[in-house]
mmCIF file of all heavy atoms in Angstrom:
data_model
loop_
_atom_site.group_PDB
_atom_site.id
_atom_site.type_symbol
_atom_site.label_atom_id
_atom_site.label_comp_id
_atom_site.label_asym_id
_atom_site.label_seq_id
_atom_site.Cartn_x
_atom_site.Cartn_y
_atom_site.Cartn_z
ATOM 1 N N GLY A 178 -4.851 -23.340 -44.217
ATOM 2 C CA GLY A 178 -5.660 -22.815 -43.111
ATOM 3 C C GLY A 178 -4.811 -22.574 -41.910
ATOM 4 O O GLY A 178 -5.000 -21.574 -41.213
ATOM 5 N N ASP A 179 -3.871 -23.472 -41.618
ATOM 6 C CA ASP A 179 -2.969 -23.294 -40.473
ATOM 7 C C ASP A 179 -2.134 -22.062 -40.718
ATOM 8 O O ASP A 179 -1.859 -21.294 -39.753
ATOM 9 C CB ASP A 179 -2.053 -24.562 -40.386
ATOM 10 C CG ASP A 179 -1.368 -24.627 -39.046
ATOM 11 O OD1 ASP A 179 -1.984 -24.257 -38.031
ATOM 12 O OD2 ASP A 179 -0.198 -25.049 -39.018
ATOM 13 N N ALA A 180 -1.637 -21.815 -41.916
ATOM 14 C CA ALA A 180 -0.782 -20.658 -42.195
ATOM 15 C C ALA A 180 -1.615 -19.366 -41.991
ATOM 16 O O ALA A 180 -1.078 -18.354 -41.415
ATOM 17 C CB ALA A 180 -0.239 -20.696 -43.629
ATOM 18 N N VAL A 181 -2.827 -19.391 -42.427
ATOM 19 C CA VAL A 181 -3.699 -18.151 -42.333
ATOM 20 C C VAL A 181 -3.967 -17.865 -40.813
ATOM 21 O O VAL A 181 -3.831 -16.697 -40.401
ATOM 22 C CB VAL A 181 -5.012 -18.341 -43.071
ATOM 23 C CG1 VAL A 181 -5.991 -17.227 -42.683
ATOM 24 C CG2 VAL A 181 -4.802 -18.337 -44.563
ATOM 25 N N VAL A 182 -4.236 -18.857 -40.019
ATOM 26 C CA VAL A 182 -4.490 -18.644 -38.580
ATOM 27 C C VAL A 182 -3.230 -18.138 -37.921
ATOM 28 O O VAL A 182 -3.301 -17.212 -37.134
ATOM 29 C CB VAL A 182 -4.933 -19.995 -37.958
ATOM 30 C CG1 VAL A 182 -4.931 -19.900 -36.459
ATOM 31 C CG2 VAL A 182 -6.359 -20.375 -38.464
ATOM 32 N N THR A 183 -2.068 -18.685 -38.253
ATOM 33 C CA THR A 183 -0.831 -18.231 -37.670
ATOM 34 C C THR A 183 -0.555 -16.794 -38.056
ATOM 35 O O THR A 183 -0.161 -15.935 -37.270
ATOM 36 C CB THR A 183 0.331 -19.147 -38.120
ATOM 37 O OG1 THR A 183 0.037 -20.486 -37.658
ATOM 38 C CG2 THR A 183 1.660 -18.662 -37.500
ATOM 39 N N LEU A 184 -0.746 -16.483 -39.337
ATOM 40 C CA LEU A 184 -0.532 -15.071 -39.828
ATOM 41 C C LEU A 184 -1.437 -14.108 -39.103
ATOM 42 O O LEU A 184 -1.016 -13.032 -38.632
ATOM 43 C CB LEU A 184 -0.703 -15.001 -41.317
ATOM 44 C CG LEU A 184 -0.633 -13.603 -41.943
ATOM 45 C CD1 LEU A 184 0.785 -13.030 -41.796
ATOM 46 C CD2 LEU A 184 -1.011 -13.670 -43.390
ATOM 47 N N LEU A 185 -2.742 -14.432 -39.001
ATOM 48 C CA LEU A 185 -3.635 -13.516 -38.345
ATOM 49 C C LEU A 185 -3.276 -13.354 -36.858
ATOM 50 O O LEU A 185 -3.383 -12.236 -36.360
ATOM 51 C CB LEU A 185 -5.109 -14.030 -38.471
ATOM 52 C CG LEU A 185 -5.678 -13.959 -39.882
ATOM 53 C CD1 LEU A 185 -7.058 -14.669 -39.914
ATOM 54 C CD2 LEU A 185 -5.801 -12.517 -40.332
ATOM 55 N N ARG A 186 -2.865 -14.371 -36.215
ATOM 56 C CA ARG A 186 -2.465 -14.252 -34.801
ATOM 57 C C ARG A 186 -1.262 -13.341 -34.719
ATOM 58 O O ARG A 186 -1.190 -12.483 -33.822
ATOM 59 C CB ARG A 186 -2.125 -15.631 -34.260
ATOM 60 C CG ARG A 186 -1.757 -15.554 -32.794
ATOM 61 C CD ARG A 186 -1.383 -16.908 -32.152
ATOM 62 N NE ARG A 186 -2.269 -18.000 -32.517
ATOM 63 C CZ ARG A 186 -1.901 -19.073 -33.198
ATOM 64 N NH1 ARG A 186 -0.685 -19.235 -33.681
ATOM 65 N NH2 ARG A 186 -2.741 -20.027 -33.416
ATOM 66 N N ARG A 187 -0.307 -13.483 -35.563
ATOM 67 C CA ARG A 187 0.894 -12.646 -35.498
ATOM 68 C C ARG A 187 0.576 -11.165 -35.841
ATOM 69 O O ARG A 187 1.118 -10.275 -35.229
ATOM 70 C CB ARG A 187 1.983 -13.170 -36.421
ATOM 71 C CG ARG A 187 2.578 -14.436 -35.854
ATOM 72 C CD ARG A 187 3.658 -14.998 -36.737
ATOM 73 N NE ARG A 187 4.177 -16.252 -36.200
ATOM 74 C CZ ARG A 187 4.986 -16.997 -36.819
ATOM 75 N NH1 ARG A 187 5.422 -16.769 -37.997
ATOM 76 N NH2 ARG A 187 5.367 -18.161 -36.215
ATOM 77 N N LEU A 188 -0.315 -10.972 -36.793
ATOM 78 C CA LEU A 188 -0.702 -9.586 -37.090
ATOM 79 C C LEU A 188 -1.424 -8.910 -35.919
ATOM 80 O O LEU A 188 -1.167 -7.745 -35.616
ATOM 81 C CB LEU A 188 -1.623 -9.568 -38.322
ATOM 82 C CG LEU A 188 -0.925 -9.769 -39.698
ATOM 83 C CD1 LEU A 188 -2.030 -9.857 -40.757
ATOM 84 C CD2 LEU A 188 -0.005 -8.667 -39.970
ATOM 85 N N ARG A 189 -2.241 -9.622 -35.226
ATOM 86 C CA ARG A 189 -2.934 -9.090 -34.020
ATOM 87 C C ARG A 189 -1.957 -8.747 -32.900
ATOM 88 O O ARG A 189 -2.246 -7.891 -32.105
ATOM 89 C CB ARG A 189 -3.992 -10.052 -33.608
ATOM 90 C CG ARG A 189 -5.214 -10.010 -34.469
ATOM 91 C CD ARG A 189 -6.402 -10.859 -33.898
ATOM 92 N NE ARG A 189 -7.303 -11.105 -34.863
ATOM 93 C CZ ARG A 189 -7.502 -12.249 -35.483
ATOM 94 N NH1 ARG A 189 -6.831 -13.307 -35.120
ATOM 95 N NH2 ARG A 189 -8.422 -12.387 -36.411
ATOM 96 N N GLU A 190 -0.880 -9.519 -32.829
ATOM 97 C CA GLU A 190 0.106 -9.299 -31.742
ATOM 98 C C GLU A 190 0.984 -8.111 -31.957
ATOM 99 O O GLU A 190 1.563 -7.553 -31.065
ATOM 100 C CB GLU A 190 0.961 -10.564 -31.591
ATOM 101 C CG GLU A 190 0.155 -11.758 -31.011
ATOM 102 C CD GLU A 190 0.908 -13.076 -31.071
ATOM 103 O OE1 GLU A 190 2.081 -13.104 -31.603
ATOM 104 O OE2 GLU A 190 0.384 -14.082 -30.548
ATOM 105 N N ARG A 191 1.098 -7.658 -33.226
ATOM 106 C CA ARG A 191 1.898 -6.490 -33.550
ATOM 107 C C ARG A 191 1.276 -5.217 -32.860
ATOM 108 O O ARG A 191 0.081 -5.050 -33.024
ATOM 109 C CB ARG A 191 2.021 -6.234 -35.067
ATOM 110 C CG ARG A 191 2.804 -7.308 -35.721
ATOM 111 C CD ARG A 191 2.837 -7.200 -37.208
ATOM 112 N NE ARG A 191 2.983 -5.820 -37.696
ATOM 113 C CZ ARG A 191 2.695 -5.491 -38.898
ATOM 114 N NH1 ARG A 191 2.231 -6.335 -39.806
ATOM 115 N NH2 ARG A 191 2.887 -4.248 -39.329
ATOM 116 N N PRO A 192 2.036 -4.422 -32.163
ATOM 117 C CA PRO A 192 1.462 -3.282 -31.479
ATOM 118 C C PRO A 192 0.780 -2.272 -32.369
ATOM 119 O O PRO A 192 -0.148 -1.655 -32.026
ATOM 120 C CB PRO A 192 2.676 -2.654 -30.799
ATOM 121 C CG PRO A 192 3.874 -3.490 -31.091
ATOM 122 C CD PRO A 192 3.464 -4.582 -32.017
ATOM 123 N N GLU A 193 1.277 -2.134 -33.633
ATOM 124 C CA GLU A 193 0.611 -1.151 -34.522
ATOM 125 C C GLU A 193 -0.565 -1.655 -35.218
ATOM 126 O O GLU A 193 -1.297 -0.928 -35.872
ATOM 127 C CB GLU A 193 1.649 -0.638 -35.552
ATOM 128 C CG GLU A 193 2.055 -1.653 -36.595
ATOM 129 C CD GLU A 193 3.236 -2.558 -36.112
ATOM 130 O OE1 GLU A 193 3.658 -2.509 -34.968
ATOM 131 O OE2 GLU A 193 3.677 -3.324 -36.989
ATOM 132 N N TRP A 194 -0.905 -2.976 -35.028
ATOM 133 C CA TRP A 194 -2.077 -3.526 -35.703
ATOM 134 C C TRP A 194 -3.331 -3.213 -34.853
ATOM 135 O O TRP A 194 -3.373 -3.405 -33.667
ATOM 136 C CB TRP A 194 -1.984 -5.060 -35.847
ATOM 137 C CG TRP A 194 -3.117 -5.571 -36.629
ATOM 138 C CD1 TRP A 194 -3.225 -5.697 -38.005
ATOM 139 C CD2 TRP A 194 -4.381 -5.966 -36.124
ATOM 140 N NE1 TRP A 194 -4.468 -6.230 -38.358
ATOM 141 C CE2 TRP A 194 -5.210 -6.411 -37.228
ATOM 142 C CE3 TRP A 194 -4.952 -6.101 -34.874
ATOM 143 C CZ2 TRP A 194 -6.525 -6.876 -37.112
ATOM 144 C CZ3 TRP A 194 -6.228 -6.535 -34.716
ATOM 145 C CH2 TRP A 194 -7.023 -6.951 -35.839
ATOM 146 N N ARG A 195 -4.280 -2.691 -35.508
ATOM 147 C CA ARG A 195 -5.542 -2.474 -34.932
ATOM 148 C C ARG A 195 -6.615 -2.254 -35.996
ATOM 149 O O ARG A 195 -6.242 -1.735 -37.073
ATOM 150 C CB ARG A 195 -5.560 -1.265 -34.002
ATOM 151 C CG ARG A 195 -5.222 -0.004 -34.685
ATOM 152 C CD ARG A 195 -5.200 1.140 -33.679
ATOM 153 N NE ARG A 195 -4.633 2.365 -34.276
ATOM 154 C CZ ARG A 195 -5.164 3.031 -35.235
ATOM 155 N NH1 ARG A 195 -6.294 2.639 -35.761
ATOM 156 N NH2 ARG A 195 -4.556 4.109 -35.766
ATOM 157 N N PRO A 196 -7.868 -2.497 -35.765
ATOM 158 C CA PRO A 196 -8.898 -2.225 -36.751
ATOM 159 C C PRO A 196 -8.938 -0.677 -36.969
ATOM 160 O O PRO A 196 -8.772 0.059 -36.035
ATOM 161 C CB PRO A 196 -10.171 -2.734 -36.145
ATOM 162 C CG PRO A 196 -9.764 -3.631 -35.012
ATOM 163 C CD PRO A 196 -8.405 -3.170 -34.597
ATOM 164 N N ARG A 197 -9.241 -0.286 -38.184
ATOM 165 C CA ARG A 197 -9.336 1.144 -38.517
ATOM 166 C C ARG A 197 -10.656 1.682 -37.953
ATOM 167 O O ARG A 197 -11.688 1.033 -38.041
ATOM 168 C CB ARG A 197 -9.237 1.442 -39.956
ATOM 169 C CG ARG A 197 -7.839 1.228 -40.497
ATOM 170 C CD ARG A 197 -7.746 1.691 -41.954
ATOM 171 N NE ARG A 197 -6.350 1.750 -42.323
ATOM 172 C CZ ARG A 197 -5.926 2.114 -43.492
ATOM 173 N NH1 ARG A 197 -6.801 2.482 -44.383
ATOM 174 N NH2 ARG A 197 -4.702 2.141 -43.788
ATOM 175 N N GLU A 198 -10.602 2.886 -37.488
ATOM 176 C CA GLU A 198 -11.846 3.623 -37.025
ATOM 177 C C GLU A 198 -12.580 4.062 -38.291
ATOM 178 O O GLU A 198 -11.985 4.303 -39.355
ATOM 179 C CB GLU A 198 -11.441 4.793 -36.227
ATOM 180 C CG GLU A 198 -10.724 4.415 -34.933
ATOM 181 C CD GLU A 198 -11.571 3.712 -33.957
ATOM 182 O OE1 GLU A 198 -12.812 3.994 -33.896
ATOM 183 O OE2 GLU A 198 -11.076 2.811 -33.282
ATOM 184 N N PRO A 199 -13.883 4.250 -38.180
ATOM 185 C CA PRO A 199 -14.647 4.791 -39.304
ATOM 186 C C PRO A 199 -14.062 6.082 -39.752
ATOM 187 O O PRO A 199 -13.739 6.974 -38.996
ATOM 188 C CB PRO A 199 -16.059 4.938 -38.759
ATOM 189 C CG PRO A 199 -16.155 4.015 -37.547
ATOM 190 C CD PRO A 199 -14.717 3.993 -36.991
ATOM 191 N N GLY A 200 -13.912 6.236 -41.030
ATOM 192 C CA GLY A 200 -13.301 7.443 -41.629
ATOM 193 C C GLY A 200 -11.815 7.518 -41.726
ATOM 194 O O GLY A 200 -11.205 8.332 -42.371
ATOM 195 N N GLU A 201 -11.143 6.629 -40.971
ATOM 196 C CA GLU A 201 -9.702 6.625 -40.906
ATOM 197 C C GLU A 201 -9.092 6.245 -42.304
ATOM 198 O O GLU A 201 -8.084 6.822 -42.713
ATOM 199 C CB GLU A 201 -9.164 5.638 -39.833
ATOM 200 C CG GLU A 201 -7.709 5.734 -39.604
ATOM 201 C CD GLU A 201 -7.309 4.800 -38.413
ATOM 202 O OE1 GLU A 201 -8.153 4.184 -37.857
ATOM 203 O OE2 GLU A 201 -6.083 4.764 -38.214
ATOM 204 N N ALA A 202 -9.722 5.281 -42.999
ATOM 205 C CA ALA A 202 -9.209 4.901 -44.289
ATOM 206 C C ALA A 202 -9.322 6.101 -45.267
ATOM 207 O O ALA A 202 -8.428 6.340 -46.075
ATOM 208 C CB ALA A 202 -9.948 3.726 -44.814
ATOM 209 N N GLY A 203 -10.481 6.783 -45.214
ATOM 210 C CA GLY A 203 -10.574 7.933 -46.105
ATOM 211 C C GLY A 203 -9.604 9.056 -45.799
ATOM 212 O O GLY A 203 -9.063 9.631 -46.721
ATOM 213 N N ALA A 204 -9.309 9.258 -44.536
ATOM 214 C CA ALA A 204 -8.361 10.332 -44.137
ATOM 215 C C ALA A 204 -6.910 9.871 -44.664
ATOM 216 O O ALA A 204 -6.172 10.724 -45.154
ATOM 217 C CB ALA A 204 -8.364 10.457 -42.668
ATOM 218 N N ALA A 205 -6.638 8.608 -44.598
ATOM 219 C CA ALA A 205 -5.349 8.075 -45.058
ATOM 220 C C ALA A 205 -5.254 8.269 -46.542
ATOM 221 O O ALA A 205 -4.210 8.615 -47.112
ATOM 222 C CB ALA A 205 -5.138 6.611 -44.619
ATOM 223 N N THR A 206 -6.308 8.025 -47.271
ATOM 224 C CA THR A 206 -6.347 8.197 -48.701
ATOM 225 C C THR A 206 -6.080 9.669 -49.048
ATOM 226 O O THR A 206 -5.276 9.974 -49.976
ATOM 227 C CB THR A 206 -7.655 7.702 -49.309
ATOM 228 O OG1 THR A 206 -7.819 6.347 -49.015
ATOM 229 C CG2 THR A 206 -7.759 7.997 -50.822
ATOM 230 N N LEU A 207 -6.764 10.580 -48.442
ATOM 231 C CA LEU A 207 -6.593 11.977 -48.735
ATOM 232 C C LEU A 207 -5.219 12.488 -48.419
ATOM 233 O O LEU A 207 -4.646 13.287 -49.108
ATOM 234 C CB LEU A 207 -7.708 12.804 -48.007
ATOM 235 C CG LEU A 207 -9.130 12.571 -48.491
ATOM 236 C CD1 LEU A 207 -10.102 13.437 -47.731
ATOM 237 C CD2 LEU A 207 -9.330 12.763 -49.977
ATOM 238 N N ALA A 208 -4.688 11.960 -47.268
ATOM 239 C CA ALA A 208 -3.280 12.273 -46.967
ATOM 240 C C ALA A 208 -2.300 11.779 -48.026
ATOM 241 O O ALA A 208 -1.352 12.501 -48.386
ATOM 242 C CB ALA A 208 -2.925 11.696 -45.563
ATOM 243 N N ALA A 209 -2.560 10.654 -48.590
ATOM 244 C CA ALA A 209 -1.731 10.077 -49.626
ATOM 245 C C ALA A 209 -1.842 10.916 -50.859
ATOM 246 O O ALA A 209 -0.810 11.220 -51.555
ATOM 247 C CB ALA A 209 -2.087 8.632 -49.946
ATOM 248 N N LEU A 210 -3.034 11.425 -51.203
ATOM 249 C CA LEU A 210 -3.208 12.330 -52.342
ATOM 250 C C LEU A 210 -2.466 13.626 -52.108
ATOM 251 O O LEU A 210 -1.898 14.153 -53.070
ATOM 252 C CB LEU A 210 -4.723 12.604 -52.589
ATOM 253 C CG LEU A 210 -5.533 11.495 -53.202
ATOM 254 C CD1 LEU A 210 -7.051 11.797 -53.223
ATOM 255 C CD2 LEU A 210 -5.061 11.239 -54.593
ATOM 256 N N ASP A 211 -2.506 14.178 -50.891
ATOM 257 C CA ASP A 211 -1.799 15.350 -50.554
ATOM 258 C C ASP A 211 -0.298 15.194 -50.900
ATOM 259 O O ASP A 211 0.322 16.032 -51.549
ATOM 260 C CB ASP A 211 -1.873 15.703 -49.063
ATOM 261 C CG ASP A 211 -3.233 16.224 -48.649
ATOM 262 O OD1 ASP A 211 -4.044 16.668 -49.470
ATOM 263 O OD2 ASP A 211 -3.483 16.215 -47.410
ATOM 264 N N ALA A 212 0.277 14.053 -50.457
ATOM 265 C CA ALA A 212 1.707 13.773 -50.723
ATOM 266 C C ALA A 212 1.957 13.640 -52.228
ATOM 267 O O ALA A 212 2.976 14.163 -52.702
ATOM 268 C CB ALA A 212 2.082 12.540 -49.963
ATOM 269 N N MET A 213 1.103 12.947 -52.966
ATOM 270 C CA MET A 213 1.321 12.830 -54.382
ATOM 271 C C MET A 213 1.253 14.153 -55.140
ATOM 272 O O MET A 213 2.109 14.417 -55.954
ATOM 273 C CB MET A 213 0.289 11.852 -54.911
ATOM 274 C CG MET A 213 0.572 10.381 -54.687
ATOM 275 S SD MET A 213 -0.513 9.270 -55.599
ATOM 276 C CE MET A 213 -2.015 9.331 -54.586
ATOM 277 N N VAL A 214 0.285 15.007 -54.750
ATOM 278 C CA VAL A 214 0.128 16.289 -55.425
ATOM 279 C C VAL A 214 1.395 17.118 -55.174
ATOM 280 O O VAL A 214 1.905 17.778 -56.064
ATOM 281 C CB VAL A 214 -1.125 16.993 -54.967
ATOM 282 C CG1 VAL A 214 -1.085 18.465 -55.353
ATOM 283 C CG2 VAL A 214 -2.315 16.327 -55.631
ATOM 284 N N THR A 215 1.902 17.117 -53.940
ATOM 285 C CA THR A 215 3.091 17.868 -53.582
ATOM 286 C C THR A 215 4.264 17.365 -54.452
ATOM 287 O O THR A 215 5.025 18.231 -55.017
ATOM 288 C CB THR A 215 3.457 17.685 -52.097
ATOM 289 O OG1 THR A 215 2.304 18.188 -51.346
ATOM 290 C CG2 THR A 215 4.698 18.420 -51.718
ATOM 291 N N ARG A 216 4.413 16.060 -54.598
ATOM 292 C CA ARG A 216 5.544 15.540 -55.411
ATOM 293 C C ARG A 216 5.357 15.808 -56.874
ATOM 294 O O ARG A 216 6.324 16.226 -57.608
ATOM 295 C CB ARG A 216 5.699 13.996 -55.230
ATOM 296 C CG ARG A 216 6.164 13.680 -53.793
ATOM 297 C CD ARG A 216 6.338 12.246 -53.652
ATOM 298 N NE ARG A 216 7.534 11.778 -54.442
ATOM 299 C CZ ARG A 216 7.873 10.528 -54.673
ATOM 300 N NH1 ARG A 216 7.149 9.570 -54.122
ATOM 301 N NH2 ARG A 216 8.872 10.264 -55.386
ATOM 302 N N PHE A 217 4.121 15.698 -57.380
ATOM 303 C CA PHE A 217 3.898 16.034 -58.826
ATOM 304 C C PHE A 217 4.263 17.479 -59.062
ATOM 305 O O PHE A 217 4.915 17.824 -60.034
ATOM 306 C CB PHE A 217 2.430 15.726 -59.186
ATOM 307 C CG PHE A 217 2.077 14.259 -59.355
ATOM 308 C CD1 PHE A 217 0.859 13.879 -58.969
ATOM 309 C CD2 PHE A 217 2.971 13.352 -59.805
ATOM 310 C CE1 PHE A 217 0.506 12.499 -59.076
ATOM 311 C CE2 PHE A 217 2.679 12.042 -59.903
ATOM 312 C CZ PHE A 217 1.407 11.616 -59.614
ATOM 313 N N ARG A 218 3.723 18.390 -58.257
ATOM 314 C CA ARG A 218 3.959 19.795 -58.505
ATOM 315 C C ARG A 218 5.391 20.158 -58.331
ATOM 316 O O ARG A 218 5.912 21.027 -59.067
ATOM 317 C CB ARG A 218 3.034 20.631 -57.548
ATOM 318 C CG ARG A 218 1.593 20.536 -57.977
ATOM 319 C CD ARG A 218 0.750 21.483 -57.240
ATOM 320 N NE ARG A 218 -0.651 21.521 -57.811
ATOM 321 C CZ ARG A 218 -1.684 21.661 -57.175
ATOM 322 N NH1 ARG A 218 -1.697 21.779 -55.823
ATOM 323 N NH2 ARG A 218 -2.916 21.680 -57.774
ATOM 324 N N ALA A 219 6.095 19.520 -57.424
ATOM 325 C CA ALA A 219 7.547 19.749 -57.276
ATOM 326 C C ALA A 219 8.279 19.315 -58.545
ATOM 327 O O ALA A 219 9.358 19.929 -58.903
ATOM 328 C CB ALA A 219 8.099 19.001 -56.063
ATOM 329 N N GLY A 220 7.725 18.375 -59.307
ATOM 330 C CA GLY A 220 8.384 17.904 -60.577
ATOM 331 C C GLY A 220 7.799 18.621 -61.772
ATOM 332 O O GLY A 220 8.080 18.275 -62.891
ATOM 333 N N GLY A 221 6.958 19.671 -61.547
ATOM 334 C CA GLY A 221 6.455 20.433 -62.691
ATOM 335 C C GLY A 221 5.225 19.823 -63.291
ATOM 336 O O GLY A 221 4.909 20.226 -64.479
ATOM 337 N N VAL A 222 4.576 18.933 -62.633
ATOM 338 C CA VAL A 222 3.404 18.260 -63.249
ATOM 339 C C VAL A 222 2.157 18.741 -62.617
ATOM 340 O O VAL A 222 2.024 18.793 -61.344
ATOM 341 C CB VAL A 222 3.514 16.727 -63.068
ATOM 342 C CG1 VAL A 222 2.254 16.007 -63.550
ATOM 343 C CG2 VAL A 222 4.755 16.153 -63.751
ATOM 344 N N ASP A 223 1.131 19.079 -63.395
ATOM 345 C CA ASP A 223 -0.207 19.463 -62.863
ATOM 346 C C ASP A 223 -1.037 18.186 -62.817
ATOM 347 O O ASP A 223 -1.408 17.681 -63.820
ATOM 348 C CB ASP A 223 -0.863 20.504 -63.755
ATOM 349 C CG ASP A 223 -0.252 21.828 -63.625
ATOM 350 O OD1 ASP A 223 0.200 22.219 -62.508
ATOM 351 O OD2 ASP A 223 -0.165 22.564 -64.660
ATOM 352 N N PRO A 224 -1.372 17.731 -61.597
ATOM 353 C CA PRO A 224 -2.172 16.510 -61.517
ATOM 354 C C PRO A 224 -3.625 16.675 -61.847
ATOM 355 O O PRO A 224 -4.140 17.795 -61.808
ATOM 356 C CB PRO A 224 -1.985 16.127 -60.023
ATOM 357 C CG PRO A 224 -1.765 17.358 -59.309
ATOM 358 C CD PRO A 224 -1.033 18.297 -60.320
ATOM 359 N N VAL A 225 -4.240 15.552 -62.199
ATOM 360 C CA VAL A 225 -5.692 15.498 -62.470
ATOM 361 C C VAL A 225 -6.178 14.375 -61.661
ATOM 362 O O VAL A 225 -5.632 13.220 -61.721
ATOM 363 C CB VAL A 225 -5.965 15.277 -63.998
ATOM 364 C CG1 VAL A 225 -7.482 15.066 -64.188
ATOM 365 C CG2 VAL A 225 -5.436 16.404 -64.826
#
């Protein structure tokens, strides 16, 4: 419990840590899919 409390405190202190806005996780997922499709196609693979 002490380790979890310390970890959460340190995560909140990081400047890049913040709760995600609604829809932000979905946008990040689609951006990751964009990157994967680009890499697959560059390697000659048609993704599904």
Side-chain angles (χ1 to χ4, degrees):
D179 195 38
V181 169
V182 168
T183 301
L184 175 65
L185 289 174
R186 183 182 314 117
R187 289 182 182 169
L188 285 173
R189 285 188 195 107
E190 291 169 356
R191 290 174 45 196
E193 68 276 6
W194 185 89
R195 61 180 170 67
R197 288 189 169 182
E198 296 295 323
E201 190 176 355
T206 298
L207 295 179
L210 284 173
D211 288 342
M213 284 189 279
V214 164
T215 300
R216 290 184 71 190
F217 286 146
R218 287 189 172 143
V222 175
D223 288 325
V225 175

